[in-house]
Amino acid sequence: MKEKGQAMAEHTPANTIQPGHHSQRFHLAKGQQTEPVPAPPQVDLALKDLSPQIVAISLHNSRNRKGQWASDRKTQPRTVLLYEVEFFTHTGGIAVIDNCQYPISRGDIRFHRPGQVVWSHVHYICYALRMTLDGTEPQEGCYQPLFRNPYLDLIPGFMSASVPDQHARLMDEMLRLSINPQAGTDLLLKAKGLELLHLLFKDANQL
């Protein structure tokens, strides 16, 4: 596992990973303030019911999205409705989750949960994926619940991939499948979604 922040002071217990929360290991400083959002309900999700449904996937380059920037070279803060994974392919920019800022390096991963407020300092390049986790179709403007599951609970909001090329290959496969869907593509994407969650759990388990 790639270690980050080695030049920083020794971490306190408050900076260690807690189940169901994003990692504080890479915390830099408080960012701009946003209005608090009511937390979605917490719901237990058994492993047999864990069924990722990919809603969207893209390769995102912030240099091509100038219309989405806020002031001072930041993207517009937004509230997460579904589950999202961003895998960063290049070093650069800063990721923000609920006012905690994380410097981006190649191979870093951001895992968004419903109800979080996120934005970024440009520039950065990443694969970006949105999904539901219970097999349901997303309802416009509605939050997915905060699902509780031993595997999901371990995944922090920000971490480094132990083998970045594995994530890059998987994300690229999923993107290609979504661009050129064929008979059975939805079934294959569901399987790839489970593979992605397994990679995230495996990386989190090594922290």
Side-chain angles (χ1 to χ4, degrees), residues 44-120:
D44 290 333
L45 186 68
L47 181 59
K48 65 181 178 63
D49 298 321
L50 183 58
S51 179
Q53 170 129 342
I54 309 305
V55 176
I57 182 171
S58 63
L59 182 58
H60 177 86
N61 187 336
S62 66
R63 294 183 185 276
N64 300 332
R65 303 290 182 92
K66 292 183 179 180
Q68 297 180 9
W69 295 1
S71 60
D72 196 25
R73 298 173 64 84
K74 302 185 181 87
T75 60
Q76 296 284 354
R78 61 183 179 84
T79 303
V80 178
L81 298 177
L82 309 178
Y83 286 82
E84 301 178 353
V85 179
E86 293 179 352
F87 172 75
F88 295 96
T89 61
H90 294 71
T91 297
I94 297 174
V96 184
I97 305 174
D98 290 337
N99 287 319
C100 291
Q101 303 182 18
Y102 306 88
I104 297 168
S105 296
R106 179 187 178 275
D108 284 346
I109 299 165
R110 184 158 60 164
F111 184 75
H112 297 158
R113 290 175 166 85
Q116 291 180 322
V117 177
V118 300
W119 72 94
S120 304

Side-chain angles (χ1 to χ4, degrees), residues 17-22 111 113 150-157 159 197 200-201 204:
I17 299 167
Q18 300 295 330
H21 293 76
H22 61 270
F111 184 75
R113 290 175 166 85
Y151 297 97
L152 298 175
D153 291 350
L154 193 66
I155 301 172
M159 64 178 174
L197 291 175
L200 295 172
F201 168 77

Side-chain angles (χ1 to χ4, degrees), residues 1-4 25 159-163 202-207:
M1 174 64 60
K2 178 176 64 175
E3 289 296 330
K4 301 186 66 173
R25 296 177 67 193
M159 64 178 174
S160 299
S162 57
V163 185
K202 185 173 69 172
D203 285 338
N205 204 36
Q206 297 180 38
L207 292 174

Side-chain angles (χ1 to χ4, degrees), residues 107-173:
D108 284 346
I109 299 165
R110 184 158 60 164
F111 184 75
H112 297 158
R113 290 175 166 85
Q116 291 180 322
V117 177
V118 300
W119 72 94
S120 304
H121 297 254
V122 297
H123 284 290
Y124 61 91
I125 302 175
C126 70
Y127 288 96
L129 177 150
R130 293 200 307 275
M131 59 184 169
T132 62
L133 294 183
D134 57 356
T136 60
E137 293 287 342
Q139 302 297 315
E140 184 175 358
C142 294
Y143 294 96
Q144 273 260 283
L146 284 173
F147 289 121
R148 301 306 305 269
N149 173 289
Y151 297 97
L152 298 175
D153 291 350
L154 193 66
I155 301 172
F158 196 89
M159 64 178 174
S160 299
S162 57
V163 185
D165 287 346
Q166 286 184 337
H167 287 270
R169 283 194 297 268
L170 180 58
M171 286 289 199
D172 191 63
E173 289 176 8

